[in-house]
Amino acid sequence: MPRNLSAWIDLMIHLIVMLALALVTFCYNSYVGAASLLLWAVLAAFAWERCHDRERRFERYCMGIIRNVNNVMNYAVDRLPQAILVVSQDGHLEWCNRQLGENLGGAPPEQGTAVADFWPEFNIETVWGTEAEYRFSHKGRSYHIYHRMLPTPPQMDPLMAFYVQDETEFANLRNSFRDSRTALLYIQLDNYDEIMQGQSETEKSMLLLAVRERLDAWISGLGGFMRGISEGEFVALLDRKALDHAMAEKFDILDQVRKIVNSKGLPVTLSIGLSLAADQSLKELGEEAEAKLDLALGRGGDQVALDINGKTQFFGGKAKAVEKHTRVKARVVAHALRDIMESADEIYIMGHHNEDYDCFGAAMGVACMARALGKRVHIVLSDMNEGIDRIVDMVQKDEGYEDLFVRAGDVAGVSPSALLVVVDAHIPHILADPTLLERIPKIVVIDHHRRSENFVKNPLLVYIETSSSSASELVTELLMYFGENIRPTRLDATALYSGVVVDTKNFNVGAGVRTFDAAAYLRRAGADPVLVRALFQSDYETTVALARAKANAEFFPGGLIVGSIPERLQNGQIIAAQAADGMLRVDGVRMSIYVFQMAGDMVGISARSTGEMNVQVIMEAFGGGGHANVAGAQVKGVPLSAVRARVVERARAYIEESDQSEGNTADGH
């Protein structure tokens, strides 16, 4: 590198001094002075040339450095282990380095080649103009892309740079780690007592052996491990890869076991709670699996409940809940409920928003228990309950029920030892006044709907029987065992009886032996069927609206009928429910669903089935729930036509999947 780049400044100082001396010499001797000036001029010219020579040499040096750096940079960019692409807006390649060819297993593509020709999975249109990351796979290779726009002059077309990292090894390691995650399964014969009732010891052993053989074959086929922990209960381990396979087959073990029947023709059903290992401890893994088993049982059994990435999924749930012929649980719950009530100084009872007769009847039954203990009791009603106005007016006119009802939002000054009893519901956001769940710590839940993922937090007592026809039936059985001195009044019995009649469609749907026992108890207590019939009478406008709703229904292949009520009617929910019920009487119909407009931008859905299909599964997709035969949901902020289209799509897909599954089972697959 040239040195003394600033020598010209030093030379100028010397030349000025020398010029001054030459001028002084010229004053004393003109000849010597002239020679001095000539010599000075020669030295100045030589110094000027030397300085310019240094500048030229330095410039050549710098240019050499730049050329070397450019060569190094070009070499480094071309030889980077990361592919670099410059692409035009139309998706054609403008430039790339050599690594792209190595990633593609050949020479780099030529300029002008469309990126879609060698990476069809990479959609440039979705990322154009942004600066972010993108991942895709091609021919078994995984790529991670960083992309950003390049600065270009206004007259040039825009260009985008893509920095592509081949992360196949990391992706394979990540997938291997994912596939090796442990899944813990709690497996239970959910109808063990029912299928073993009346069986000989030999028949019991044969049933358990058949179930064990099916489970062993299924777990072994998935490469898992299983051990029995008690009669009808098992624990199993699978890895994530095997779990994905089981999920892809919709846990067909449920269908396989369901083909096993006892000597009375009752099929065996399984419930499975599953938890997938992530970052929790083994204790937490077991607790999660146990909680999912409880959830599956609470939804009626014959299904799998599992939690993956914080999202609960359900499989199965095709079998009807089997009615239990013993009331042991009802007696135990009644005694526990009495103890809880006795420790409370004030009791609030609440059902779901927009109460129906079953919800109201169950609340009246629980209020009867509270009054029998001499407790202050209030039933919390929502603002939308036009369907039960008649019976509410009757109760309010009776002096024995003074101050029984309180509107949602009007509850003030709750006692620390107060008790809240939730009936005919268990999902917090659909309750008449969800804020009470935070204000009253002691909560009891009594419901007959299949348990949802969203549940009231930390209840003291939960009584859910999905085999029961109604919440009113459950409360009636609790009344039978609550105490010897309890006597429901005529209005109490009539309210409970109306709830049973509504949910069983006048004892035609879901009514079992215990349902008729409960009805007989209520009749003896003074329930008036004539009064119940009068409560259900509809006016002329409602009758016309119901006929219009039935007339605009549309029939779809597979036994599906879907109708809509676009008008905002005062009793639209009742009309939709009655229309859905009525359409089940049409030959060939297996499922009927009505979509109706509610207040504001809320759209309601009322779904019914003959028992072949589980409409609760469909309604859960819309944030609702219910029973296998009766379910509903409410959707906010979506137009009615859009909700109807989604309902048709979901229902048809479910019917097609169910029919296909049944066909495979029939073929022995």
Side-chain angles (χ1 to χ4, degrees), residues 111-164:
Q111 181 180 0
T113 304
V115 175
D117 290 345
F118 52 86
W119 279 339
E121 297 85 358
F122 181 28
N123 188 354
I124 293 180
E125 294 181 0
T126 60
V127 301
W128 183 265
T130 63
E131 181 175 346
E133 301 178 19
Y134 185 86
R135 282 185 167 88
F136 74 98
S137 298
H138 176 71
K139 293 184 178 180
R141 309 294 295 182
S142 298
Y143 298 100
H144 184 191
I145 294 181
Y146 298 87
H147 51 84
R148 65 184 58 174
M149 295 299 297
L150 291 177
T152 55
Q155 65 273 15
M156 284 186 60
D157 294 332
L159 297 175
M160 196 169 189
F162 295 88
Y163 308 91
V164 185

Side-chain angles (χ1 to χ4, degrees), residues 192-483:
Y192 180 84
D193 294 334
E194 286 71 26
I195 62 174
M196 293 303 175
Q197 189 173 12
Q199 305 294 297
S200 66
E201 292 301 318
T202 301
E203 291 171 335
K204 291 180 181 179
S205 299
M206 293 298 292
L207 275 175
L208 290 176
L209 179 61
V211 173
R212 182 62 183 259
E213 287 178 345
R214 298 288 176 91
L215 285 173
D216 274 335
W218 180 64
I219 293 293
S220 298
L222 294 173
F225 172 83
M226 186 185 75
R227 284 291 181 268
I229 54 178
S230 66
E231 292 293 336
E233 294 185 353
F234 308 88
V235 63
L237 295 173
L238 296 174
D239 59 28
R240 176 63 186 271
K241 187 175 182 180
L243 175 60
D244 289 341
H245 182 73
M247 293 172 63
E249 294 183 345
K250 306 294 184 183
F251 285 90
D252 59 347
I253 185 62
L254 301 175
D255 298 326
Q256 297 177 32
V257 171
R258 201 183 303 113
K259 290 189 289 186
I260 303 173
V261 296
N262 66 4
S263 61
K264 297 181 180 179
L266 185 65
V268 179
T269 57
L270 287 180
S271 286
I272 301 177
L274 190 152
S275 180
L276 182 65
D279 54 358
Q280 68 271 55
S281 65
L282 292 177
K283 178 183 178 182
E284 292 171 338
L285 186 70
E287 291 173 347
E288 289 177 8
E290 189 175 11
K292 294 307 173 186
L293 177 60
D294 292 339
L295 179 58
L297 294 172
R299 291 166 51 85
D302 185 42
Q303 59 191 277
V304 179
L306 66 154
D307 192 339
I308 296 181
N309 298 327
K311 181 180 179 182
T312 301
Q313 302 181 45
F314 301 99
F315 295 86
K318 298 178 181 178
K320 295 182 180 179
V322 179
E323 182 184 29
K324 295 177 172 57
H325 298 289
T326 174
R327 294 197 183 94
V328 174
K329 186 175 181 179
R331 184 174 68 250
V332 172
V333 172
H335 292 168
L337 179 59
R338 183 185 181 101
D339 293 339
I340 295 173
M341 282 187 168
E342 286 178 342
S343 64
D345 57 4
E346 190 173 18
I347 298 172
Y348 291 91
I349 308 164
M350 175 173 60
H352 53 76
H353 183 73
N354 201 357
E355 296 85 354
D356 56 16
Y357 279 97
D358 184 36
C359 178
F360 182 80
M364 289 291 290
V366 175
C368 177
M369 301 178 198
R371 290 199 310 274
L373 297 176
K375 303 294 182 178
R376 287 183 300 165
V377 59
H378 301 285
I379 296 178
V380 182
L381 297 178
S382 65
D383 295 330
M384 294 179 58
N385 49 29
E386 295 87 355
I388 59 172
D389 280 348
R390 293 180 181 178
I391 194 169
V392 171
D393 292 340
M394 291 173 56
V395 175
Q396 287 179 327
K397 292 176 182 178
D398 193 311
E399 296 180 355
Y401 297 93
E402 186 177 0
D403 298 328
L404 176 62
F405 302 121
V406 59
R407 289 293 174 180
D410 293 341
V411 179
V414 176
S415 170
S417 59
L419 171 68
L420 174 63
V421 181
V422 177
V423 296
D424 198 33
H426 61 262
I427 304 175
H429 70 268
I430 70 170
L431 298 180
D433 189 354
T435 61
L436 290 180
L437 298 175
E438 304 296 333
R439 299 171 58 190
I440 303 178
K442 294 194 297 184
I443 303 173
V444 172
V445 178
I446 302 173
D447 194 12
H448 70 119
H449 296 108
R450 291 160 67 100
R451 182 164 176 165
S452 170
E453 179 184 357
N454 298 320
F455 199 82
V456 173
K457 293 182 179 179
N458 303 320
L460 285 177
L461 178 65
V462 176
Y463 185 35
I464 294 182
E465 285 289 348
T466 57
S467 62
S468 181
S469 69
S470 59
S472 295
E473 177 186 328
L474 289 178
V475 173
T476 300
E477 291 185 343
L478 295 179
L479 281 169
M480 297 179 186
Y481 298 104
F482 193 79

